[in-house]
């Protein structure tokens, strides 16, 4: 029985790889991208039920928790939705010399680009959701102050696009809400009226499709 289950799981994985397709994801920097601290961000894939599938892109500082002058608990408020979805540990560790495989990051990683980024990734050909989360440290305003939001300032911003089966049209990732101000949960919050400069971190984020399906790595 166990062998049958294992064989079925392997077959499902192989079929999923064969039906994967390559996409190009482009993030355009907004007016606030370069102001002060450059943003940390993650792009990941979920199924239509909200179950995490895999990370497509993550900035190295966020993946390796290489924050300066932060507590041992790390910075869970930096990208709370991604941290909770991926179940990636937020505690600060000495990961400077560790590889992405050691850190269990199966994604494109890099230092935060200075002017946006374009990269390719493989996603399932089944209906799914691509999500992206962006955040800047010390991004304060009159509502999100140092006293009530520590180093975070304004909370992270979440963008998302639903990908239908056989989708071919370019999709724009739409603003969906914010992450937890203190990193205590992975929910997307819709109370956004007190955002100011954070809304201008990202100018546009899009997803385009190649004509041919591709096997995942």
């Amino acid at each position: 029985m166990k062998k049958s289950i294992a064989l079925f799981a392997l077959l499902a994985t192989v079929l999923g790889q064969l039906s994967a397709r390559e996409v190009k994801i482009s993030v355009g920097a907004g007016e606030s991208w370069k102001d002060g601290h450059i943003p940390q961000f993650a792009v990941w894939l979920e199924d239509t039920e909200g179950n995490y599938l895999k990370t497509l892109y993550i900035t190295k500082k966020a993946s390796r928790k290489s924050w300066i002058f932060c507590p041992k608990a790390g910075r869970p408020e930096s990208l709370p939705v991604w941290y909770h979805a991926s179940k990636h540990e937020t505690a600060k560790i000495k990961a400077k010399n560790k590889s992405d495989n050691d850190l269990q990051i199966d994604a494109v990683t890099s230092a935060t680009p200075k002017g946006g980024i374009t990269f390719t990734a493989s996603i399932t050909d089944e209906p799914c959701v691509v999500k992206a989360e962006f955040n800047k440290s010390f991004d304060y305003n009159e509502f999100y102050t140092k006293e009530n939001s520590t180093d975070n300032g304004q909370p992270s911003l979440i963008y998302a696009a639903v990908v239908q089966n056989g989708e071919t049209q370019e999709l724009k990732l739409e603003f969906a809400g914010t992450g937890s101000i203190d990193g205590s949960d992975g929910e997307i919050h819709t109370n956004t009226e007190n955002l100011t400069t954070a809304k201008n971190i990202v100018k546009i984020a899009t997803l385009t499709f190649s004509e041919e399906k591709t096997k995942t790595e």
Side-chain angles (χ1 to χ4, degrees), residues 27-39 41 112-117 134 136 197 200-203:
V27 177
E31 294 178 3
S32 299
W33 186 282
K34 293 184 179 180
D35 293 344
H37 292 259
I38 55 178
F41 64 98
T112 303
K114 295 182 178 180
I117 188 172
F134 302 83
K136 294 179 64 173
T197 52
N200 298 319
I201 294 174
V202 176
K203 183 177 181 180

Short mmCIF file of all heavy atoms in Angstrom, two decimals, residues 27-39 41 112-117 134 136 197 200-203:
data_model
loop_
_atom_site.label_atom_id
_atom_site.label_comp_id
_atom_site.label_asym_id
_atom_site.label_seq_id
_atom_site.Cartn_x
_atom_site.Cartn_y
_atom_site.Cartn_z
N VAL A 27 9.07 43.37 -12.51
CA VAL A 27 8.71 44.29 -11.44
C VAL A 27 9.33 45.65 -11.76
O VAL A 27 10.56 45.76 -11.86
CB VAL A 27 9.21 43.80 -10.07
CG1 VAL A 27 8.89 44.84 -8.98
CG2 VAL A 27 8.59 42.45 -9.72
N GLY A 28 8.49 46.65 -11.94
CA GLY A 28 8.96 47.99 -12.24
C GLY A 28 9.07 48.82 -10.98
O GLY A 28 8.14 48.87 -10.17
N ALA A 29 10.22 49.46 -10.79
CA ALA A 29 10.44 50.26 -9.60
C ALA A 29 9.60 51.54 -9.63
O ALA A 29 9.55 52.23 -10.65
CB ALA A 29 11.92 50.61 -9.47
N GLY A 30 8.96 51.83 -8.50
CA GLY A 30 8.19 53.06 -8.38
C GLY A 30 9.04 54.19 -7.81
O GLY A 30 10.24 54.05 -7.58
N GLU A 31 8.40 55.33 -7.56
CA GLU A 31 9.11 56.52 -7.09
C GLU A 31 9.79 56.30 -5.75
O GLU A 31 10.83 56.90 -5.46
CB GLU A 31 8.13 57.69 -6.99
CG GLU A 31 7.58 58.15 -8.34
CD GLU A 31 6.58 59.28 -8.18
OE1 GLU A 31 6.37 59.72 -7.03
OE2 GLU A 31 6.03 59.73 -9.20
N SER A 32 9.22 55.45 -4.89
CA SER A 32 9.77 55.26 -3.54
C SER A 32 10.77 54.12 -3.46
O SER A 32 11.30 53.84 -2.39
CB SER A 32 8.62 54.99 -2.55
OG SER A 32 7.74 56.08 -2.49
N TRP A 33 11.04 53.45 -4.58
CA TRP A 33 11.93 52.29 -4.56
C TRP A 33 13.31 52.62 -4.00
O TRP A 33 13.86 51.91 -3.17
CB TRP A 33 12.06 51.71 -5.96
CG TRP A 33 12.83 50.42 -6.08
CD1 TRP A 33 14.19 50.26 -6.07
CD2 TRP A 33 12.29 49.11 -6.25
NE1 TRP A 33 14.53 48.95 -6.23
CE2 TRP A 33 13.38 48.21 -6.34
CE3 TRP A 33 10.99 48.61 -6.34
CZ2 TRP A 33 13.22 46.84 -6.52
CZ3 TRP A 33 10.82 47.23 -6.51
CH2 TRP A 33 11.92 46.37 -6.59
N LYS A 34 13.88 53.73 -4.48
CA LYS A 34 15.24 54.11 -4.10
C LYS A 34 15.30 55.05 -2.91
O LYS A 34 16.39 55.36 -2.42
CB LYS A 34 15.96 54.74 -5.29
CG LYS A 34 16.22 53.78 -6.44
CD LYS A 34 17.01 54.46 -7.53
CE LYS A 34 17.31 53.52 -8.68
NZ LYS A 34 18.10 54.19 -9.76
N ASP A 35 14.17 55.57 -2.46
CA ASP A 35 14.18 56.49 -1.33
C ASP A 35 14.52 55.76 -0.05
O ASP A 35 13.82 54.81 0.35
CB ASP A 35 12.81 57.17 -1.18
CG ASP A 35 12.50 58.10 -2.35
OD1 ASP A 35 13.45 58.44 -3.07
OD2 ASP A 35 11.33 58.46 -2.52
N GLY A 36 15.57 56.19 0.63
CA GLY A 36 15.94 55.54 1.88
C GLY A 36 16.43 54.12 1.63
O GLY A 36 17.23 53.87 0.74
N HIS A 37 15.92 53.18 2.40
CA HIS A 37 16.34 51.78 2.26
C HIS A 37 15.64 51.14 1.07
O HIS A 37 14.44 51.34 0.85
CB HIS A 37 15.99 51.01 3.53
CG HIS A 37 16.79 51.43 4.72
ND1 HIS A 37 17.87 50.72 5.18
CD2 HIS A 37 16.67 52.49 5.54
CE1 HIS A 37 18.40 51.32 6.22
NE2 HIS A 37 17.68 52.41 6.47
N ILE A 38 16.40 50.37 0.30
CA ILE A 38 15.79 49.68 -0.84
C ILE A 38 14.94 48.53 -0.32
O ILE A 38 15.21 47.96 0.74
CB ILE A 38 16.85 49.17 -1.83
CG1 ILE A 38 17.89 48.30 -1.12
CG2 ILE A 38 17.51 50.33 -2.54
CD1 ILE A 38 18.93 47.73 -2.05
N PRO A 39 13.89 48.15 -1.04
CA PRO A 39 12.95 47.16 -0.52
C PRO A 39 13.48 45.73 -0.56
O PRO A 39 14.35 45.39 -1.37
CB PRO A 39 11.74 47.30 -1.46
CG PRO A 39 12.32 47.81 -2.73
CD PRO A 39 13.46 48.71 -2.33
N PHE A 41 11.90 41.83 -1.07
CA PHE A 41 10.65 41.28 -1.61
C PHE A 41 10.77 39.82 -1.97
O PHE A 41 11.88 39.28 -2.11
CB PHE A 41 10.14 42.10 -2.80
CG PHE A 41 11.02 42.11 -4.02
CD1 PHE A 41 10.76 41.25 -5.08
CD2 PHE A 41 12.07 43.01 -4.14
CE1 PHE A 41 11.55 41.28 -6.22
CE2 PHE A 41 12.86 43.05 -5.28
CZ PHE A 41 12.60 42.18 -6.32
N THR A 112 18.86 43.07 -3.59
CA THR A 112 17.75 43.85 -4.14
C THR A 112 18.22 44.67 -5.33
O THR A 112 19.16 45.45 -5.22
CB THR A 112 17.18 44.80 -3.08
OG1 THR A 112 16.76 44.05 -1.95
CG2 THR A 112 15.98 45.55 -3.63
N PRO A 113 17.61 44.49 -6.50
CA PRO A 113 18.00 45.27 -7.67
C PRO A 113 17.67 46.75 -7.46
O PRO A 113 16.69 47.09 -6.79
CB PRO A 113 17.16 44.67 -8.80
CG PRO A 113 16.00 44.03 -8.11
CD PRO A 113 16.51 43.55 -6.78
N LYS A 114 18.48 47.61 -8.04
CA LYS A 114 18.31 49.05 -7.80
C LYS A 114 17.20 49.68 -8.64
O LYS A 114 16.76 50.79 -8.34
CB LYS A 114 19.63 49.77 -8.07
CG LYS A 114 20.73 49.37 -7.09
CD LYS A 114 22.01 50.14 -7.36
CE LYS A 114 23.09 49.76 -6.35
NZ LYS A 114 24.36 50.49 -6.58
N GLY A 115 16.76 48.99 -9.68
CA GLY A 115 15.75 49.61 -10.53
C GLY A 115 14.70 48.64 -11.03
O GLY A 115 14.35 48.65 -12.21
N GLY A 116 14.23 47.75 -10.19
CA GLY A 116 13.27 46.75 -10.63
C GLY A 116 13.99 45.52 -11.14
O GLY A 116 15.22 45.46 -11.17
N ILE A 117 13.22 44.53 -11.59
CA ILE A 117 13.83 43.27 -12.01
C ILE A 117 12.92 42.53 -12.97
O ILE A 117 11.69 42.67 -12.91
CB ILE A 117 14.13 42.37 -10.78
CG1 ILE A 117 14.95 41.14 -11.17
CG2 ILE A 117 12.84 41.96 -10.08
CD1 ILE A 117 15.44 40.32 -10.00
N PHE A 134 6.35 43.14 -0.89
CA PHE A 134 7.41 44.14 -0.87
C PHE A 134 7.37 44.90 0.46
O PHE A 134 6.29 45.18 0.99
CB PHE A 134 7.24 45.15 -2.01
CG PHE A 134 7.22 44.53 -3.38
CD1 PHE A 134 6.05 43.98 -3.90
CD2 PHE A 134 8.37 44.49 -4.16
CE1 PHE A 134 6.03 43.40 -5.16
CE2 PHE A 134 8.36 43.92 -5.42
CZ PHE A 134 7.19 43.37 -5.92
N LYS A 136 9.86 47.98 2.93
CA LYS A 136 11.05 48.78 3.17
C LYS A 136 11.16 49.07 4.67
O LYS A 136 10.17 49.41 5.31
CB LYS A 136 10.98 50.11 2.42
CG LYS A 136 11.03 49.97 0.92
CD LYS A 136 10.93 51.32 0.23
CE LYS A 136 12.12 52.18 0.56
NZ LYS A 136 12.14 53.43 -0.22
N THR A 197 3.89 56.58 1.22
CA THR A 197 5.01 56.30 0.31
C THR A 197 5.11 54.82 -0.06
O THR A 197 5.63 54.49 -1.13
CB THR A 197 6.33 56.74 0.96
OG1 THR A 197 6.44 56.17 2.27
CG2 THR A 197 6.39 58.26 1.09
N ASN A 200 4.05 53.62 -3.44
CA ASN A 200 4.84 53.98 -4.62
C ASN A 200 6.14 53.19 -4.73
O ASN A 200 7.01 53.53 -5.53
CB ASN A 200 5.17 55.48 -4.58
CG ASN A 200 3.93 56.33 -4.61
OD1 ASN A 200 2.98 56.04 -5.34
ND2 ASN A 200 3.91 57.39 -3.82
N ILE A 201 6.29 52.13 -3.93
CA ILE A 201 7.49 51.30 -4.05
C ILE A 201 7.50 50.60 -5.41
O ILE A 201 8.52 50.56 -6.10
CB ILE A 201 7.55 50.25 -2.92
CG1 ILE A 201 7.73 50.94 -1.56
CG2 ILE A 201 8.69 49.26 -3.17
CD1 ILE A 201 7.65 50.00 -0.38
N VAL A 202 6.37 50.03 -5.79
CA VAL A 202 6.25 49.29 -7.04
C VAL A 202 5.39 50.08 -8.02
O VAL A 202 4.27 50.49 -7.69
CB VAL A 202 5.64 47.90 -6.82
CG1 VAL A 202 5.44 47.17 -8.14
CG2 VAL A 202 6.52 47.08 -5.89
N LYS A 203 5.91 50.29 -9.22
CA LYS A 203 5.14 50.97 -10.26
C LYS A 203 4.19 50.00 -10.94
O LYS A 203 3.01 50.30 -11.16
CB LYS A 203 6.08 51.60 -11.29
CG LYS A 203 5.37 52.39 -12.36
CD LYS A 203 6.37 53.06 -13.30
CE LYS A 203 5.67 53.88 -14.37
NZ LYS A 203 6.66 54.52 -15.27
#
